[in-house]
Amino acid sequence: MRPLLVCPGCRGPLADVTGGLRCEPCGAVYPVVSGVPHFAGGGVESGPGFKERLAARAPSIYRAARLGARVLFPVWNTRSVKNLRRLEGEVFAENRSPVVLNAGSGDASGPGMSALSGRFRARMINLDTAVLPAVNLRADVGGIPLADGCVDLVLAKALLEHVPGPDAVIGEFARVLRPGGRVYVEMPWLEGYHGYPGDYRRWTAEETSRVFAGHGFAEAETGIVAGPASAAGLFFREFLGSFFDNPALKFLSKDVIGSVLVFLWRFLDIYLARKKSARVLAAVVYYIGVKGK
Ligand SMILES: [Zn+2]
């Protein structure tokens, strides 16, 4: 990754200095901590929430709850695995050593990510402002510290609803992608507000396509990641949780009772997500775009 890095402020070249990187043209210095360049600092970290406190106080209960949450999670993802495998095949067919930018990677897990080959995942730059073990480039998506045209594929899974200025971010995707490079977007259509730390919008696949076209992308494909049954389950759980502001009672009503009540609904999406009318109440949609030559 090192040869691809540029200053996010002025896009100038970076020189290695003790403990970090220094931009020659503008003089900005960026620390490198445990091998991870930090181009963004602060901002996102907040104090421990209810889940973090539970994890610290009662780790076995927390682990059981987390496993339960995974098993009972109301979303049936019908598409991510297929989409990501296909993109891996297409990208490798064009470039044997591709650069993949996982923008807003979080812990680089998430639906479909484990379906990618280890060889492909090893090519991945996991960019996030959060400090997580998987993050190997700490930076803001509005100022990506990568050279123009060096990326083959940008993944933006559940990212764009969380950025205040999406045009700047999509402009950055267009800049770092090579001509013919691909972008893969997953975005909620019908999900409740979920700010980590902010939640700014919902886009249909049509709107995603329109906005990306404004940045020189051609739509390759759009569709549904999770259908109406997933949306119904998510909303019912949130509805139960909305009776309580107390975090422990919300957790009990939404994550425990709500999840147990609705977890079987999601399997209806095996049937429903394939129907034309699935887009009306889809929980999550996707967009694949190709950058113009
Ligand atoms: Zn600079």
Side-chain angles (χ1 to χ4, degrees):
M1 187 210 311
R2 176 65 188 90
L4 310 178
L5 294 176
V6 296
C7 173
C10 74
R11 286 177 206 149
L14 297 167
D16 293 275
V17 294
T18 312
L21 300 164
R22 186 175 185 281
C23 173
E24 281 158 356
C26 81
V29 176
Y30 304 102
V32 175
V33 183
S34 308
V36 177
H38 283 219
F39 292 95
V44 170
E45 279 101 336
S46 55
F50 171 70
K51 284 173 190 171
E52 287 76 21
R53 289 202 304 273
L54 182 66
R57 254 186 247 167
S60 53
I61 292 176
Y62 174 73
R63 274 199 301 274
R66 220 175 55 154
L67 178 68
R70 201 171 299 166
V71 173
L72 299 176
F73 193 61
V75 172
W76 186 257
N77 186 312
T78 53
R79 200 69 200 191
S80 292
V81 168
K82 194 175 171 187
N83 285 346
L84 289 168
R85 280 201 179 131
R86 180 186 132 192
L87 285 164
E88 176 179 335
E90 287 174 357
V91 168
F92 264 140
E94 288 172 13
N95 185 352
R96 298 312 294 167
S97 46
V99 174
V100 184
L101 174 65
N102 189 4
S105 65
D107 62 6
S109 61
M113 296 302 281
S114 57
L116 295 169
S117 71
R119 196 162 64 102
F120 197 67
R121 282 158 68 96
R123 309 282 324 165
M124 215 170 262
I125 297 171
N126 292 316
L127 180 150
D128 209 297
T129 50
V131 178
L132 291 161
V135 172
N136 53 13
L137 180 58
R138 194 166 176 226
D140 192 280
V141 284
I144 299 174
L146 294 173
D148 296 5
C150 69
V151 175
D152 297 273
L153 171 66
V154 171
L155 302 178
K157 288 163 92 306
L159 167 74
L160 290 175
E161 74 269 30
H162 296 296
V163 295
D167 267 318
V169 175
I170 298 165
E172 280 292 87
F173 293 169
R175 182 183 64 79
V176 299
L177 277 167
R178 65 169 171 79
R182 290 165 177 76
V183 63
Y184 178 62
V185 176
E186 286 184 4
M187 189 153 171
W189 167 233
L190 294 178
E191 271 183 23
Y193 176 92
H194 54 287
Y196 346 104
D199 187 350
Y200 299 93
R201 72 191 60 79
R202 297 291 177 268
W203 281 348
T204 58
E206 281 161 285
E207 175 66 355
T208 312
S209 189
R210 188 192 70 79
V211 174
F212 274 78
H215 290 274
F217 287 90
E219 176 187 312
E221 195 178 303
T222 61
I224 284 160
V225 171
S230 298
L234 284 170
F235 275 76
F236 187 75
R237 253 173 33 129
E238 291 292 351
F239 171 68
L240 289 183
S242 67
F243 284 84
F244 306 101
D245 284 330
N246 176 295
L249 289 176
K250 188 182 280 296
F251 179 77
L252 182 71
S253 57
K254 179 191 140 189
D255 296 86
V256 180
I257 298 170
S259 298
V260 169
L261 288 175
V262 306
F263 86 98
L264 286 174
W265 297 9
R266 63 183 169 178
F267 296 109
L268 291 169
D269 268 345
I270 297 170
Y271 170 68
L272 291 176
R274 276 184 294 185
K275 296 175 81 72
K276 238 190 211 160
S277 50
R279 68 172 50 213
V280 178
L281 293 180
V284 184
V285 296
Y286 73 88
Y287 162 84
I288 300 171
V290 181
K291 190 189 161 186
K293 307 238 178 205

